[in-house]
Amino acid sequence: MISVGVDVGNKFTKAVVLKDGQVISKSIVLSGFDQKQSANEAYDQAIKEAGISKNDVNYVLATGAGKKEVDFANDVVSEVGAGARGAVYFFPSGRTIIDVGAEDGRASKCDQNGKIVDFAVNEKCAAGAGSFSESMARALEVPLEEIGPLALQSNNVIYMNAQCTVFAESEVVSLIHAKTSKADISKAVHDAIAARIISMARRVGVEKDLVMIGGVGNNVGFLKALGDGLEIEVLVPDKPEYVCAIGAALIAAERN
Amino acid sequence: MAEKPKEYWRWDEYNWRNPDIDWRKAKIITAGVDVGSVSSQAVIMADGELYAFANMRTGSDSPNSAINAMNWALEGTGMALSDINFTVGTGYGRVNVPFANKAVTEIACHARGANYMYGSTVRTVLDMGGQDCKAIRIDEKGKVVSFLMNDKCAAGTGRGMEVFANLLAVPIVEVGEMSLQVEEEPAPVSSTCVVFAKTEATGLLRDGWPKEKVLAAYCSAMAHRVISLLERNGVEKDFAITGGIGKNVGVVSRIEKELGLTALKPRYDTQIAGALGGALFAKALVEKGTKK
C-alpha cells in the first residue's frame, strides 16, 4: 500500500511517500509562482527518492493553499485535517495543534484520532505568520535562520506597538536607532507573532498536549515565546514542515 | 561603486506663503503642527486665514520633525516663533511638539481643517494618512459627529501605497495617473495584507501584466478597502478626502466611482488638513481666553 501526500504551501511545496504507514521518502521545493509545476517537481523527486514508479502509487491526496493545482491528486484534504492527523501520528497525546506556515496560521483542537473538533485560521494578515519574522529578519539585517536563536539571548520584555508587518518593520528600524540590542528586538518580534497565535489558540481552547507543526516550528525563538505565553510545553516533531504532507498521506492510505 | 537605491516613495517637501497677507496687521496669529507617522506639517494662520505652511517627511524623532516643519513654515516670513499667540500640536506625535500650548486629537483637527478647506457643507471626511485611515462624519461647524479608524493595518494607508511604488519602481506621485492608463479595469488585488498583496502583484507581473494594470488593481483594492470603513461609519454628502492619498487620482476616482459620490476639490494641499484644524482650534482657544 503506497500513498502520497502533497502539501502546496505558500512558500514551499512538500511531498511525502508512505509505504504501509511508514514514510519512505520526502521532498521539498520552492512553490514559486507556478504551483502546478512545483507540485509535479516535488512529486517526481519524492517518487525518485523512494525508488518506485508512479504506477505503484495507490492514492494521492493534496493539501495546502495550492491544493487545487495538484492535477495528479485523487482528491484534496483541508490543511487543518491533514495537519492534525500528521501531528497525532508523531504525538498521539496531541489535542491542540498549532500550524504556522509562511503566510498563514492555524490553531485546531482534535480528538485522539486526529479528527478536528474546532479550529481557527488566519490567512489574511502576515502578522502571525512566518513572513512576519522574515520581514523582521530583513529589517534587523540578520539571516532568517539566526533570528530565532538570537531571541533566546534576551530576557527583556519589549512590547511592539505595531501589529501590521509593514508598520512593525518601521518600528524595528526605530528600535535599532534607539540602540536596542538585536537580541531584545528579536525577542520582541517573536513575542508579537506568538501573541497573535496565542489569541487564536485561546479562541478554540488550549488543551494538553500542544503540538506545533509547520515551517515556523523550526524557529526556536517562536517556540519559546509560544510556550512561555501559554505556559505549556510545546511538542515539536522533527522537520515540522512535512507534517501536513504526512497527514495527507496517512489519510490517503485509508481512502484507498 | 554601488548605486544608491532610488526612493520611489519620496514626494516633494515644500513650504508656501500667502503674499497677500501682512501678518503684522493681524490681531491673532496661531499655528497648528501635525506630526504624523509619515509626514509633518506646520500651518500658520493670521486672524483665521491661512498664511503659511510647510509640508515635510517626519524624521525618526518627533520633536525635531515638529521644530523643522515650524521653522520651514516661518522661513522668509520675518515672523518669529514668539510672534505666534497659540500653537496646537496634533497627529500621532502631538505630545512631542515642544513649543505647542495644547495637544488636540488629529480626528478633531482633520474635521475642523476639512470644514475650512472645503466649506461648511462637508459631512463626510475620509482622511487617508501615512499609517492610518479615518472615516469621520462632521457637522456644519466642523465638529466630529462620529468616526471610525484603522490604524492597525497598512492596507488602505499611504504606507501600503509606498510599498507598491517601490515594488513597481514608480514614483509615488505618478502612481494615480499611471493607474488610470488601462483600457479595462482589472479585478482588484485580492489579498488584504500589504505583504501578501506584494507577492500577488509580483505574480501578476510575471504573468505579463503591465505596471499600469497592476497599479490599477491595487488602487482599486485600496478604494474598496476604505469604502467598507466609510460605509460602516455612514456616508453623507458632501464628501471630501484629506491626507496624502487625497492627491492620488487613481484611488480618489475609484472611491468616487464605487461610492457614487464626487469628492470636493481641495483648495489647498490635502495633507495640511490636520495642522490647519489645529491652527483653527488655537484661534478659538485664544478668543475664548481673551473673553474671560
Side-chain angles (χ1 to χ4, degrees), chain A residues 214-254:
Chain A
V216 176
N218 289 310
N219 182 325
V220 288
F222 174 82
L223 295 175
K224 170 104 177 25
L226 181 69
D228 288 355
L230 282 171
E231 296 177 335
I232 198 170
E233 189 193 351
V234 178
L235 304 174
V236 192
D238 183 38
K239 299 210 162 56
E241 63 272 31
Y242 288 100
V243 174
C244 266
I246 294 171
L250 286 164
I251 299 171
E254 288 160 15

Side-chain angles (χ1 to χ4, degrees), chain A residues 40-59:
Chain A
N40 272 297
E41 269 174 36
Y43 187 40
D44 289 348
Q45 271 188 33
I47 290 291
K48 196 177 159 201
E49 204 198 301
I52 55 168
S53 107
K54 284 181 187 170
N55 293 328
D56 301 325
V57 177
N58 301 88
Y59 205 92

Side-chain angles (χ1 to χ4, degrees), chain A residues 114-194:
Chain A
K115 275 251 170 350
I116 299 293
V117 180
D118 195 6
F119 70 95
V121 182
N122 161 40
E123 46 195 25
K124 286 246 181 285
C125 171
S131 23
F132 186 84
S133 46
E134 262 180 56
S135 294
M136 298 313 122
R138 252 198 317 273
L140 274 172
E141 296 177 334
V142 167
L144 180 61
E145 55 280 9
E146 285 173 26
I147 188 172
L150 189 62
L152 298 184
Q153 294 170 18
S154 164
N155 285 315
N156 296 328
V157 178
I158 300 170
Y159 289 104
M160 294 201 45
N161 295 312
Q163 186 170 304
C164 175
T165 310
V166 176
F167 299 163
E169 252 176 74
S170 319
E171 196 174 338
V172 164
V173 173
S174 307
L175 286 169
I176 295 171
H177 287 162
K179 306 256 187 303
T180 313
S181 81
K182 285 193 177 182
D184 286 353
I185 300 174
S186 177
K187 180 171 185 296
V189 162
H190 291 96
D191 286 346
I193 325 176

